[in-house]
Amino acid sequence: MNTNNSSDQAPSYLEQLSLSVQHDTLLVAPLTAGLDTNNWCNSKCEYCRMWKNPAVNTPLQDLKLAVDELCELGVYAISLTGGEPFLHDELPQLIGHMRTRGVISSTMTNGMLLKPAHLLPILEAGLNSLYVSLDTINPDTYRKIRGVPLPPVLKGLEYLSQRRQDFPGLKSLSVNCVVSRANIEEIDTLVKYCSDLNIWVGFQPLHATFGSGHESEKLAFSEGERPRIHILIERLIQMKQDGHLIDNDVTYLEGFPDFLSYRQLPDGFECTAGFTTVAIDYQLNVRSCWPMKPIGNLHTDKLTELWYSEVYNQRRAAMLKLQCPKCWLRCHTEHRSEQWLKRFLPRVSTE
């Protein structure tokens, strides 16, 4: 998307999105897509079971096919997911292909492979946005949540913070933290650590992991812990207002207590993810959302045809009515916020 009026793009997109919802028609292209590069991981997170899967990476030619189909559809940014994307030995080649196609590249890593020999080829390929998943800087809590040692992750993140200026294509570097019972008292320390490194940190509430269907009882909150969560969110909002680098909308953060305590979404909430994003798993199955059933497969179907199909329209309608697993993920909620769009869309116009 190229325009000289990037400041007007956010309200314009939101207006078209609202009209799409009201009139049950597609007036917007999806902003983003998630593309699984594999289905295995080298971390042993308590809230996930992907580390038990076989070590299989999606072939590069399949991933390039998915990128090409997404670009045809008009997606602005593709997030390379997994599993652990850094375990894919042809990740730099895939990022290079995305750069050739002119689409913003993003990925998330658990941080265990942020070593120069592994990291630098990925950055040199032209990666635009990198999220490091980090829930705490307490080694004992980290091992309880992640099942692996913390020091290599912090060492890699600090190295990355020092080298980021050498890669002008890397427009965004941030930490993603999953809020759970295990780390709730250590969130403030994480925020301050990230702010000291000039790294933004964003938060998501604990969910069942869609790739494995697992939800940890050890990390989940009880209904009686809602006041405790509310206090945390009030602190985070105050820290954000005080200038700490917290990359969440206040409205999104305010939804944490009810979701983490009761799995309850705000009154009147409509999920528009069926309009704004698309998910493609490691087998090239196309989904309107990660936990939803596949609509088709790129080995046999054209993505554009699937996107405009009656089946996909029915899935969008179901998601609007929350006939789905009901998540409170950033990718499904903040992408409808004007604040997020005002940060994202001007980037698109200058890439």
Side-chain angles (χ1 to χ4, degrees):
M1 176 184 290
N2 293 306
T3 177
N4 294 324
N5 298 313
S6 58
S7 62
D8 297 329
Q9 292 179 59
S12 175
Y13 187 92
L14 288 172
E15 290 166 4
Q16 294 299 306
L17 176 59
S18 294
L19 288 172
S20 296
V21 172
Q22 292 171 20
H23 299 291
D24 191 24
T25 187
L26 281 173
L27 300 175
V28 293
L31 286 171
T32 63
L35 173 60
D36 277 348
T37 59
N38 54 25
N39 195 42
W40 63 296
C41 189
N42 56 344
S43 189
K44 297 182 178 180
C45 298
E46 170 61 29
Y47 49 69
C48 180
R49 288 293 181 266
M50 281 195 180
W51 52 273
K52 293 187 175 182
N53 293 340
V56 177
N57 289 323
T58 303
L60 179 61
Q61 62 184 20
D62 284 359
L63 294 171
K64 285 184 174 181
L65 169 64
V67 168
D68 292 342
E69 292 280 322
L70 288 166
C71 289
E72 266 188 53
L73 185 59
V75 167
Y76 303 140
I78 301 172
S79 177
L80 303 174
T81 52
E84 168 53 50
F86 273 45
L87 289 172
H88 199 298
D89 53 5
E90 294 183 295
L91 187 62
Q93 291 91 322
L94 178 59
I95 293 169
H97 181 68
M98 294 171 67
R99 183 178 183 181
T100 300
R101 291 304 309 257
V103 64
I104 292 176
S105 58
S106 172
T107 193
M108 180 179 288
T109 177
N110 58 32
M112 294 184 67
L113 294 176
L114 292 176
K115 304 170 184 177
H118 207 102
L119 172 66
L120 294 183
I122 292 171
L123 298 180
E124 289 166 355
L127 183 68
N128 299 130
S129 180
L130 178 58
Y131 296 85
V132 179
S133 187
L134 179 64
D135 301 329
T136 179
I137 58 170
N138 180 315
D140 294 333
T141 305
Y142 187 86
R143 185 176 285 276
K144 177 181 178 181
I145 297 173
R146 298 278 177 163
V148 292
L150 173 64
V153 178
L154 296 185
K155 182 178 179 180
L157 185 61
E158 290 162 13
Y159 171 77
L160 178 57
S161 72
Q162 296 168 1
R163 293 297 309 271
R164 62 190 296 188
Q165 299 301 327
D166 298 333
F167 300 93
L170 186 64
K171 305 294 185 181
S172 173
L173 170 62
S174 60
V175 158
N176 187 75
C177 172
V178 175
V179 177
S180 71
R181 178 189 284 175
N183 67 350
I184 187 171
E185 301 300 336
E186 300 168 3
I187 298 295
D188 306 48
T189 307
L190 175 65
V191 171
K192 292 172 183 177
Y193 171 81
C194 292
S195 292
D196 287 344
L197 292 177
N198 195 31
I199 295 176
W200 290 83
V201 57
F203 296 93
Q204 287 192 161
L206 178 70
H207 286 72
T209 304
F210 299 140
S212 62
H214 174 73
E215 184 168 9
S216 170
E217 294 183 3
K218 295 180 182 178
L219 302 182
F221 292 95
S222 66
E223 292 185 4
E225 291 180 284
R226 188 188 185 286
R228 186 182 179 199
I229 305 167
H230 178 74
I231 291 171
L232 165 68
I233 296 306
E234 290 296 307
R235 287 204 312 268
L236 285 180
I237 292 172
Q238 186 60 56
M239 293 180 78
K240 180 180 176 70
Q241 293 170 346
D242 291 342
H244 286 89
L245 303 182
I246 296 175
D247 190 24
N248 291 107
D249 296 330
V250 170
T251 302
Y252 175 68
L253 291 173
E254 289 173 339
F256 278 43
D258 283 345
F259 183 82
L260 284 170
S261 301
Y262 315 123
R263 286 297 186 266
Q264 180 177 318
L265 300 179
D267 291 340
F269 175 73
E270 290 181 321
C271 179
T272 58
F275 296 86
T276 61
T277 189
V278 60
I280 301 175
D281 69 21
Y282 74 105
Q283 296 175 318
L284 299 197
N285 292 310
V286 177
R287 305 169 188 264
S288 57
C289 176
W290 287 118
M292 304 294 275
K293 293 180 179 179
I295 294 172
N297 187 284
L298 295 186
H299 288 301
T300 56
D301 304 300
K302 293 288 292 181
L303 180 58
T304 302
E305 294 175 3
L306 293 174
W307 179 255
Y308 290 102
S309 69
E310 183 58 30
V311 175
Y312 214 123
N313 286 335
Q314 291 172 358
R315 197 65 56 81
R316 289 188 191 94
M319 291 168 65
L320 281 172
K321 298 174 184 176
L322 301 183
Q323 296 170 355
C324 61
K326 299 182 180 64
C327 72
W328 192 241
L329 294 173
R330 298 181 68 192
C331 58
H332 290 2
T333 53
E334 288 197 306
H335 286 189
R336 196 177 180 179
S337 93
E338 193 162 322
Q339 177 181 337
W340 183 86
L341 287 170
K342 282 184 175 178
R343 292 196 303 267
F344 175 75
L345 291 173
R347 276 191 54 202
V348 176
S349 66
T350 58
E351 286 294 329

